[in-house]
Amino acid sequence: MAANYSRSASTILWFVTSLAMILLLTKTFFPGIGFPLLLLAQTVFTLLHGSRRYGWRAILVFVGITLLVSNILENLSVLTGFPFGDYHYTLGWQLFMVPLGIGPAYAATGYLAWTVAALLAGEVRRGSGRLTTIGTPVIASFAMVAWDLSMDPTRATIQKLWIWENGGGFFGVPLVNFLGWSLTTYVFFQFFALYLRSYGPEPRATPEPATASHVQSLVLYAATAGAFVIDFLFGERTIVTDALGHRWHTGDIYETSVLTTIYGMIFITVLAALNLARRSGAASANLTDTTRHASPASTPADTAA
């Protein structure tokens, strides 16, 4: 019964992973329905994948912390300019002054960044040391800012989903925005790490091999990067202006976006994949060694036979 349930859960997760990947790579062509469906698929993936990896309580804690921290700091920035800078949203339904979809977007992509960071810096488990408990959130925040580095100029300056009121040197986006992202994402990742250190899964006695769970989250982080490649290939070439009237060529924005994607998100993906392969090899070697030592020694009778 347990084995059948595990296979069913794995099948469902692969279906959700495939759906989210398709939506990530096609949302440019169907903006009206692509974004809402993508956010729904990503949220379902986060909850199902996270519940299998950490348990339902832990993944709900992650989502709750992410929604709370991101909404507080986003609203604070709209009001005061801290920590992201001066901007406002042009999107629909809002929680105070921030669209309802922003928090879930932080949580969904943030969870992917967290799983990638766990491959690079180590999984945070109950009783983890300080280096992992702090290092993994730091790496996860870099993986998140790499996403925003590729995303913000296209979504703000080209699509005008939000407006930077004082413009900025990075195609209309200010430097302080990315510093604000580093702070915001680090804060909710660090809170989650502290929770896992106290209440998370017990540490494993042996290296963990590569599993479908690892591959699924890595594939979706890579597909998130792939979406910017699609923008570069098919985005309209024209001229846009920011809030201060500075003119920008969209082709330059898309080209810069794909460059930061290749040497940011894709570079992180390759590092994580190599680390996963190395970890799988270590786990296989450990299993072989354990099996060899567990085999009964030959007896004189065996030899005579």
Side-chain angles (χ1 to χ4, degrees):
M1 180 71 73
N4 290 336
Y5 172 79
S6 179
R7 283 195 295 269
S8 298
S10 181
T11 300
I12 292 171
L13 261 175
W14 272 118
F15 172 78
V16 176
T17 301
S18 301
L19 176 62
M21 182 175 66
I22 292 170
L23 290 170
L24 276 165
L25 298 177
T26 60
K27 62 184 174 62
T28 298
F29 309 110
F30 310 102
I33 60 173
F35 286 107
L37 284 178
L38 171 61
L39 190 56
L40 176 61
Q42 288 176 314
T43 301
V44 171
F45 175 86
T46 298
L47 293 174
L48 293 180
H49 191 277
S51 67
R52 297 194 74 193
R53 185 169 181 148
Y54 299 109
W56 276 107
R57 179 180 295 179
I59 193 59
L60 290 176
V61 166
F62 172 78
V63 171
I65 291 172
T66 304
L67 294 178
L68 182 65
V69 171
S70 64
N71 192 263
I72 288 175
L73 291 181
E74 286 267 356
N75 275 287
L76 181 64
S77 194
V78 171
L79 287 170
T80 70
F82 176 83
F84 301 103
D86 295 309
Y87 67 103
H88 65 272
Y89 283 100
T90 62
L91 299 169
W93 293 350
Q94 298 182 351
L95 181 60
F96 303 110
M97 287 164 285
V98 178
L100 294 176
I102 296 299
Y106 268 108
T109 307
Y111 178 72
L112 298 179
W114 174 267
T115 58
V116 168
L119 288 172
L120 294 173
E123 187 72 77
V124 181
R125 296 188 179 273
R126 190 173 304 187
S128 287
R130 292 182 181 179
L131 186 61
T132 303
T133 304
I134 297 174
T136 299
V138 169
I139 298 301
S141 70
F142 273 95
M144 274 291 276
V145 178
W147 173 53
D148 187 54
L149 195 64
S150 300
M151 172 184 66
D152 219 296
T154 60
R155 303 298 180 260
T157 306
I158 296 178
Q159 298 178 5
K160 300 190 184 305
L161 302 181
W162 51 89
I163 304 296
W164 292 102
E165 294 165 5
N166 299 316
F170 190 60
F171 296 105
V173 183
L175 169 64
V176 68
N177 167 65
F178 304 106
L179 300 178
W181 264 72
S182 293
L183 172 66
T184 300
T185 55
Y186 169 73
V187 167
F188 62 67
F189 285 137
Q190 187 62 75
F191 276 127
F192 184 53
L194 292 173
Y195 174 85
L196 290 178
R197 190 186 189 193
S198 297
Y199 306 105
E202 295 287 348
R204 294 177 60 91
T206 58
E208 185 180 11
T211 65
S213 171
H214 294 104
V215 174
Q216 288 160 349
S217 56
L218 197 56
V219 162
L220 281 190
Y221 186 80
T224 304
F228 299 115
V229 179
I230 299 297
D231 286 344
F232 167 71
L233 293 175
F234 298 101
E236 182 183 7
R237 269 46 180 180
T238 183
I239 295 176
V240 293
T241 58
D242 62 21
L244 296 185
H246 294 149
R247 293 159 61 86
W248 306 97
H249 291 271
T250 58
D252 294 340
I253 297 177
Y254 287 131
E255 185 170 329
T256 303
S257 175
V258 81
L259 280 170
T260 57
T261 297
I262 292 170
Y263 296 104
M265 294 186 74
I266 293 178
F267 173 65
I268 292 171
T269 302
V270 171
L271 281 182
L274 289 173
N275 206 38
L276 181 59
R278 186 180 299 112
R279 179 187 299 184
S280 182
S284 299
N286 184 75
L287 178 62
T288 301
D289 187 62
T290 301
T291 303
R292 183 170 60 250
H293 282 81
S295 300
S298 60
T299 65
D302 295 329
T303 304

